[in-house]
Amino acid sequence: MMTGAKPSILEAIGGTPLVKLRRLGADVEADIYVKCEYLNPGGSMKDRMALRMVEAAERSGQLRPGGTIVEATSGNTGAALAMIAAVRGYQCIFVMPDKMSQEKIAALRAFGARVVVCPTAVEPDDPRSYYSVARRIAAETPNCFYANQYHNPANPEGHYVSTGPELWEQTGGEIDVFCAGLGTGGTITGTGRYLKERKPAVQLVGVDPVGSLYYDYVKTGRVTKPFTYKVEGIGEDFFPSTIDLKLLDEIVRVDDRECFLTTRDLVRLEGLYVGGSSGAAVAGALKYARQTRRKENIVVLLPDGASKYLSKIFNDDWMRENGFLDDTGLGVVADVLRLKPAEVITARSTDRVRDVIARMKAHGISQLPVVDDGKLIGAVAEVDLLRYLVSGEQSLDSPVGPLVESEYATVSPQTKVELLQGLLADARMAIVLDGEQIVGVITKIDLIDYLARRAS
Ligand code: PMP
């Protein structure tokens, strides 16, 4: 073999550049560096963990010569597995949710993989969900290895053994903050664990899209109502075992609009040809930096490239149709709150059921947030109180604590009104948080009232 050549494309995985942002973030004290994982041969950082998963399966005998790799994937893990399968002689079957770009599906088919598309808008345990379908195909296919990236420890390990050490070396240990979007959590958990072992002061910042479960869970310990959003690859509606949320020092929330506008800026202002979750991660890092105002080195991981999103993020018609480019004029959550009394009616978990009922009656409301020591811990609703009283076992003098539920979603005052409609189809109410402070509550009728007034 020629001395400069690699035995296969798989040896080209990793070794991606670390680049300093020059224009974005010029207004923050911190220096922001980006790890260009989109330059991996399979198109994303998933190459690293896919190789680890395949090699672990080969070692354990789960994957044998001529075998089939099955996976539920939003595209990048699929591309990585398909590339590895091509080199090593395996077949692939991938199951994807239908919100994914056509380009991603076509790319997997280009590698010779079979792709099965499933509805996005069903619960994860629904038999039609892409997780369920992948499990079923895996069970029915002979000589098959179900990669199961959401529960395969080789996923975070792949980053622990490669992304982590590589960043440690490239930064010469001068990294202060590592920031990445949260999907399976493999990236932040594996890379973060390695970096913290080398330097415990390294701060791990996870970035989560509005609509995903992680943010509320980390901030309040409650599992709120997930709802759909457009950015691909990050956010979840269940908890994968590959993520260790306790490892995170901070979690930052971003909405689709800021993800996509930042993505476009990364391409146009920095020449970084990246996809939507890269914009999300950088938008999250900028928010973090504006909040901490520290002179430090923040490293942000850029997962994949722009080409898979040309018909979406980089298409002005698509951006405009979704209200991401021009303002649709419907306003933001703060505008809806302006029509409501400023006082937010809340309860404490130690309040008696009797008093909470009286408070709801006095204010003509059917649900309210429960706040202990200034921190949102959940909500109680009329229907819960009713169910409780009808059960007959409890008294009106018991505390409401055990009745606290999570049938709400949280938003910020800057959240676009368009988002509320989808959110309130699933959640009983939207609790508006400015940082940790509750500044309002919005229910369906508040939204109807707001929209009706604008129309008249
Ligand atoms: N961005 C993109 C484009 C992805 O495909 C993924 C993987 N779901 C992520 C970010 C999140 O990475 P991880 O699963 O390691 O948390």
Side-chain angles (χ1 to χ4, degrees), residues 360-430:
M360 285 185 180
K361 221 163 122 187
H363 294 278
I365 54 179
S366 57
Q367 53 207 334
L368 44 76
V370 179
V371 182
D372 285 342
D373 301 324
K375 213 170 150 117
L376 174 67
I377 63 151
V380 279
E382 230 169 26
V383 282
D384 303 317
L385 298 176
L386 190 65
R387 199 176 303 129
Y388 173 78
L389 294 174
V390 168
S391 76
E393 290 159 23
Q394 312 295 337
S395 91
L396 282 166
D397 291 317
S398 309
V400 290
L403 299 181
V404 172
E405 46 85 357
S406 316
E407 297 286 312
Y408 60 89
T410 65
V411 294
S412 84
Q414 288 76 41
T415 303
K416 293 253 159 199
V417 165
E418 290 91 315
L419 259 180
L420 285 178
Q421 186 203 345
L423 182 162
L424 288 171
D426 290 329
R428 284 188 193 148
M429 63 176 163

Side-chain angles (χ1 to χ4, degrees), residues 331-342:
V332 293
V333 160
D335 301 323
V336 183
L337 288 183
R338 239 170 261 133
L339 297 181
K340 302 193 56 174

Side-chain angles (χ1 to χ4, degrees), residues 181-192:
L182 309 173
T184 66
T187 304
I188 201 140
T189 305
T191 312

